[in-house]
Structures are given as C-alpha cells and as structure tokens.
Amino acid sequence: MPDLPDVYADDAVLRSWLSRLLGADGLALADGPLKALAAEVMGPLRAAHRDAESHPPVLHQYDGWGARVDRVEVSAGWERLRVAAAEHALVALPYLPEARERWGAGARVVQHALLHLYGPESATFTCPVAMADGAAALLSRSDVDAAVRDAWLPRLIATDPAVAITSGQWMTESQGGSDVGRATTAAFPAADGSWRVQGEKWFCSAIDSAMAVALARPNGEGTGSRTLAPFLIPRYAADSPLAQPSAPGNSSAPGIYLHRLKDKLGTRAVPTAEVSLQDAYAIPVGDPHSGGLIRMMTLVVITRLHNAAAAAAGMRRGLAYARAYADARSVASGRLAENPLHRSTLAMLAVDAQAAFALAAHAFALLGRIEVDGDRAAEAELRLVAPLAKLTTGRLAVASASEYLECFGGAGYVEDTGIPRLLRDAQVLPIWEGTTNVLSLDVVRALNRSPGLGDAFLGKLDAAIQQSTDLLIGGAMDGLRAARFALTDALAAAAADPTDQRVVAGARNMSLTMGYALALALLVEHAAATGDEATKVAAELWGRARLAADETAVDAHQSFEILCG
Ligand SMILES: Cc1cc2nc3c(=O)[nH]c(=O)nc-3n(C[C@H](O)[C@H](O)[C@H](O)COP(=O)(O)OP(=O)(O)OC[C@H]3O[C@@H](n4cnc5c(N)ncnc54)[C@H](O)[C@@H]3O)c2cc1C
C-alpha cells in the first residue's frame, strides 16, 4: 500500500465545507478535536479496524456450566473503536451544552466532520454510533418520560468510555423490514406497571450494545404501522457491567435469546443477531398508545443521516487510497496518475464524492438548525433531504466502491490488501434504514402530504440556476435546467396522487433525479459562497454527466489536479 494522505489536513473538500458552515472562528475551535481524531485514525484506530475485521464476533449461547448466557465476544479492535467513539464524542457532541455554546447549530456540522474522519476505517463501528445517536435524539424529545431520559440519555452521550453505552434498534422482523406495519412483536403491561415484550426480531445489529429501542405493538392496539410504539429494552441482566457488555460473565437480560449471529456479506465486525423476545422487560419511550411511530421517526431520521455520512466518507477515503495508488503504480504508458484515461476515471469519482459530501453535510447542517434554533423551515426541508441524501449517497457509494476496487486491479480483489471490504461494506448502505425503492416512496409520500415541499424544491433549483449563470458554470446550468424540466410534472403528479401507477413506478427515477439535482444545487451554492475552484469544477462536471447526459471524459482528465489534489 502506498503512503496515504492525512485524512484531515489533506481533505480539501471537508475543510472547505467546514470553513463555510462554521466560519473561521468555529473552524479554529474545531481544528483541535478534528486533528486529534485524525491522528488516532491514522495510527491505532487503523490497526484496531484491521483487528476487528479479521476477528469477527462470536456468539456464546451457553457458559461452561450449561447456563444460557447469549454473550457476544467481540475483538480487542472493536473495543478500541468503541473507546475512541466515546472519547471523541462521536455521539455526544451535538448534545453537550459546551458544544452548542461553542458552535450553536454547527455542533451537528462538527459531529459530521468527526464521523467523516472516523467512519471509513472503523470496522463499521459507525453502526452502533448511529443507533446510539438516534436513541439519544429519541430520548431527548419532550414527550418522553423524564425518568427514562435521565436514566439512559447520560450514558448514551457519555464521553467517558467506562460509562458510555451504545444502542441497538430492533425494527425488522422476518415477514417485513420495509413494511414494519407487519410487525407481530407485542407489548403487554405487567402487574407491577412495567411492560413485557414478546416477539421475534430478525436483524439486530450491534447486539453487544447495552440497550435497544424496539418497535412493538401495545396489547389491544389495531394493526398497521401507526399503532406501533418504541420500547427501550435493557440488553443485559441487571447486575452486568453495562459499560463492558461483552465482558466475560455478562449475560442476556431474562427473556432475551439470541438464535444466531448473521453471516453477512460485509460489516463483518458488527455483531448482527436474530433475537427472540420472550416476556423481555421493556420500558415505553413516550405514551405507548399515542404517536409511537412519529417518535420512532426521530431516531430513523438520525440513522439515515449517519448512513449518508458513512457513504460520503467512504467515497472520499476510497478516492484517497486510489489516488495514492495511482502515484505508485506504473502501467504500459507510465504512471497511472499521468494516464489520461485513469485520470479521467478518478476525477469523475472525485466529483461523485464531492456531490455525496454536499448532501450529507447539508443534511447535518439542517439537523443542527432544527435542534438548536428550532428552525421550522429547516425541519420542512429535512423531510425531503433526509431520504434524498440517504438514497442518493447509498447508490453512489456502491458504484464508487466497485470502481475503487477496479482502480487497484487484481490487488483490489485480494482480501489481505484490505480493499475488497470497501465494496462489501458499501452494499449495506442502500439496504438498511430504507432501500432505494422504499425511500423513493417516502419522498412521494412527503410531497403528497406537504404540497409546498415540491415548490420549495423547485425554488431551490431556480436559485441555483441563477447562481450558476452568474458564476458561468455552464454545465451546472444545463444540468439544473434539465432536472427542473424533468421534475416539474413528476413532482406535481406525486403531490396529486401518490397511488397513481405512473407515480409509483417512476418514484425511483424521480427521487434519484431529485437527489442529483439537490447535490448540484448545493455544490453551486457552495461555489457561490466560497469561490472554491474545485467545487465549481465538480458542479460543472456533475451537472453535465448526471443530469445533462453530456460527455465529460476529456474535461475530467484536465481537471484531475484540482479535483484529486
Ligand atoms: C447488515 C444489515 C444490518 C441490519 N441491521 C438492522 C438493525 O439493526 N435493525 C433493524 O431493524 N434492521 C436491520 N437490518 C434490516 C434492514 O433494515 C432491512 O433488511 C431493510 O429495511 C429491508 O427490509 P427487508 O429485508 O424485509 O426487505 P424487503 O422489505 O422484503 O425488501 C425486498 C425488496 O422489495 C423492495 N420493496 C419493499 N417494499 C417495497 C415497496 N413498497 N415498493 C417497492 N419496492 C419495495 C425493496 O426495495 C427490496 O428491493 C439490517 C440489514 C442489514 C443488511
């Protein structure tokens, strides 16, 4: 493997967005924590990542004496990544009063930067981080019982690894993941006022976490998704050391049984279990008979944003690796980094990575404005941006990962180079937390329920068309105009009748076009605000390639230095 760049100092895209979204003072304050994390990523955490990837978790259902324990043994590397996640406040930062004081709404921007540095070589510890953040946001809601919040939230947002915990999220059942309304897990009030849960959960990631938020149907409620409610389930027996859930001697709480761990294509270090709940103790998160699904969406929006961050970060790190290899590797015509065809390939990957980053960065910035400023316009915008960012970056990440493997030739297919996992781990991104189809239908639903959203979206494109005209970014202008033309009728049709066959069948194309157009509008906006040359070039090439169906190869080759450094 060639020498790799500094994941923070050499990431011009990250630094340019941070400087705009945080301002000079905010960036100066974030510089220390980001440098500290980057230094760990390039040293011990890279080693921990490799260790966790090569020592997948093991389920021990029984102890030596035959007692059922359902204990998951994880690697030292996984534990090291857990410690780093807590110490660097990956979950905690946006909840800490001092961070909100320092960065205001930008606390979520700083968190996104931390995730961007940490994620790609974290053996997917980003998964428990995402779910812990989702659980923390859920528990922070004002309609959640303060006693429940006070008991669990401080641990979810602790920066002391001895205290910090993560969370799972148990929604999917074998009869339906996308359609949670089919859930058969039921919750019953017990005589002592607490609740018990009965059911089978089919995909429970980070099963070593100290708690999970599970969807269950309170006894007596009708069918469908709207009667489901979130319940907090402590994962371990009461006397277990919560901070070290995989420690020897630790066992499942009564009524929680792990059938087996999933043998997955990727995310191999993440223990994902099939779980049986047999009268397991559960705590309602809010009123179980009212608004449960809406509360659960607080969590789901957060994990969708983390998914987008992971996709975008993986693309940037893949580019850094492939770029470094292009300097080191020679082919028939000389160094790869001087070959026009390879330069063009890498440059277009860099453009994709910039577009994905713009979507993730914007989504986190909106979230911060909602949480800290109570910004209603940001809330309305995020209703569309969350599914669009998740679905667009998920698809881009898989396509890019495949290209990155190819950039390494045969070495990209050989396990001990560490490269193949880029593709394996990317493939989960379009699946969990809503597949591309399911999120596309969510976009249609949002357009139908809030008719103003479509107009606001087109308004954003119009503003970007004006900016790209002012900046003379012709490709962006062409791309935005093409998208606006294609979307005008599609958005109106979706708003009018979300069940119309043409709307349903066309939902995926419409949503991907929206995602591409949104990314382009954000790149143009960023270029207008900063004058950043690399962003202008990315907007030009992205608009032409993704939306205006124009050939970009030669221009991409000529823009290699500015896009790939
Ligand atoms: C690595 C990994 C980790 C996971 N971890 C968790 C976890 O921790 N907790 C959890 O709850 N779940 C988890 N999941 C499950 C994941 O969220 C579901 O697999 C996902 O939501 C899809 O549900 P499904 O598997 O039932 O597929 P299905 O819903 O059966 O989907 C099958 C196909 O049908 C399509 N489809 C579904 N509905 C529609 C529709 N209405 N219109 C058009 N097309 C449709 C989908 O796009 C897909 O292509 C995990 C999955 C993976 C792969």
Side-chain angles (χ1 to χ4, degrees):
M1 178 59 73
D3 284 347
L4 295 169
D6 184 311
V7 295
Y8 175 55
D10 296 336
D11 192 333
V13 172
L14 171 67
R15 297 178 74 95
S16 169
W17 278 81
L18 283 177
S19 124
R20 171 170 152 234
L21 295 176
L22 297 176
D25 292 348
L27 178 56
L29 290 169
D31 204 46
L34 292 172
K35 273 188 182 145
L37 176 57
E40 277 220 82
V41 166
M42 293 183 294
L45 296 189
R46 199 166 263 161
H49 159 79
R50 281 195 295 267
D51 178 67
E53 286 291 329
S54 51
H55 297 97
V58 179
L59 170 62
H60 299 282
Q61 286 178 311
Y62 299 92
D63 71 8
W65 307 100
R68 188 79 192 249
V69 291
D70 287 336
R71 187 173 67 79
V72 176
E73 181 187 329
V74 295
S75 62
W78 183 253
E79 172 59 13
R80 179 70 185 80
L81 288 155
R82 184 189 76 79
V83 167
E87 285 177 343
H88 291 277
L90 262 84
V91 175
L93 190 111
Y95 301 89
L96 299 176
E98 61 269 29
R100 287 189 174 194
E101 177 91 3
R102 205 172 290 159
W103 293 293
R108 281 284 180 190
V109 173
V110 179
Q111 181 198 30
H112 174 229
L114 291 169
L115 294 168
H116 181 81
L117 298 177
Y118 173 88
E121 292 165 279
S122 70
T124 322
F125 200 86
T126 42
C127 167
V129 163
M131 296 190 293
D133 191 356
L138 171 63
L139 289 173
S140 301
R141 286 179 60 112
S142 58
D143 53 0
V144 170
D145 188 350
V148 180
R149 179 168 44 252
D150 293 348
W152 292 90
L153 182 61
R155 285 184 272 179
L156 285 166
I157 60 170
T159 53
D160 176 356
V163 178
I165 60 169
T166 55
S167 178
Q169 167 183 332
W170 302 347
M171 294 167 65
T172 304
E173 300 184 11
S174 66
Q175 69 278 13
S178 309
D179 187 5
V180 288
R182 289 167 187 261
T184 58
T185 299
F188 303 87
D192 63 359
S194 66
W195 287 67
R196 299 289 182 273
V197 174
Q198 185 86 22
E200 297 286 323
K201 293 292 180 184
W202 178 237
F203 253 107
C204 303
S205 289
I207 194 61
D208 54 333
S209 296
M211 60 166 274
V213 178
L215 267 186
R217 196 179 310 284
N219 188 34
E221 292 288 350
T223 55
S225 57
R226 298 205 160 267
T227 51
L228 294 168
F231 288 83
L232 192 160
I233 302 189
R235 164 77 177 87
Y236 295 102
D239 57 354
S240 294
L242 283 178
Q244 291 154 353
S246 60
N250 208 341
S251 56
S252 261
I256 301 179
Y257 300 96
L258 275 48
H259 293 304
R260 58 177 173 165
L261 295 184
K262 299 276 195 196
D263 182 9
K264 294 171 291 175
L265 169 70
T267 67
R268 288 182 180 167
V270 182
T272 301
E274 294 166 16
V275 175
S276 183
L277 300 167
Q278 300 176 19
D279 284 331
Y281 174 78
I283 307 160
V285 185
D287 179 354
H289 297 290
S290 169
L293 194 68
I294 292 170
R295 277 196 301 285
M296 195 66 176
M297 285 315 291
T298 301
L299 183 158
V300 170
V301 167
I302 299 276
T303 47
R304 285 181 178 165
L305 263 52
H306 276 258
N307 205 88
M315 290 167 73
R316 290 287 300 161
R317 194 69 54 84
L319 178 70
Y321 273 53
R323 173 70 185 85
Y325 191 65
D327 268 339
R329 181 77 173 167
S330 290
V331 294
S333 55
R335 267 191 331 128
L336 270 179
E338 280 153 20
N339 177 295
L341 182 51
H342 198 74
R343 286 162 59 93
S344 174
T345 307
L346 285 180
M348 286 315 290
L349 285 165
V351 169
D352 287 355
Q354 274 207 49
F357 186 90
L359 288 168
H362 182 58
F364 273 80
L366 286 176
L367 182 63
R369 281 164 47 193
I370 298 165
E371 289 176 340
V372 175
D373 301 335
D375 185 332
R376 301 299 296 268
E379 193 173 351
E381 194 181 342
L382 192 64
R383 177 65 190 91
L384 274 186
V385 168
L388 289 178
K390 197 280 185 186
L391 75 92
T392 308
T393 57
R395 294 239 52 86
L396 287 171
V398 175
S400 295
S402 170
E403 287 285 6
Y404 287 131
L405 260 66
E406 199 174 326
C407 286
F408 282 86
Y413 204 73
V414 174
E415 284 294 347
D416 53 10
T417 63
I419 304 297
R421 59 155 285 278
L422 291 180
L423 183 56
R424 283 202 307 269
D425 289 351
Q427 186 60 65
V428 73
L429 297 166
I431 295 177
W432 104 294
E433 281 305 11
T435 61
T436 313
N437 281 3
V438 166
L439 290 170
S440 300
L441 293 175
D442 188 47
V443 169
V444 168
R445 229 177 356 258
L447 290 168
N448 173 255
R449 291 203 182 135
S450 312
L453 284 184
D455 288 343
F457 189 85
L458 294 176
K460 194 168 182 75
L461 300 193
D462 288 339
I465 289 171
Q466 187 55 52
Q467 283 175 320
S468 53
T469 311
D470 297 345
L471 292 169
L472 304 176
I473 317 178
M477 210 167 59
D478 293 347
L480 286 162
R481 284 202 175 125
R484 202 196 188 292
F485 181 75
L487 288 173
T488 304
D489 288 347
L491 295 183
D497 183 2
T499 61
D500 181 288
Q501 263 194 20
R502 276 168 307 180
V503 169
V504 174
R508 185 187 175 100
N509 281 349
M510 180 192 75
S511 297
L512 278 169
T513 305
M514 289 175 78
Y516 293 161
L518 175 63
L520 182 49
L522 295 171
L523 288 173
V524 169
E525 211 173 274
H526 188 66
T530 61
D532 182 60
E533 207 48 45
T535 309
K536 273 191 204 166
V537 172
E540 164 76 21
L541 294 174
W542 175 264
R544 280 166 57 188
R546 292 281 171 186
L547 292 163
D550 195 8
E551 174 56 46
T552 54
V554 174
D555 292 326
H557 152 59
Q558 288 169 351
S559 308
F560 176 78
E561 268 77 23
I562 191 161
L563 289 168
C564 298

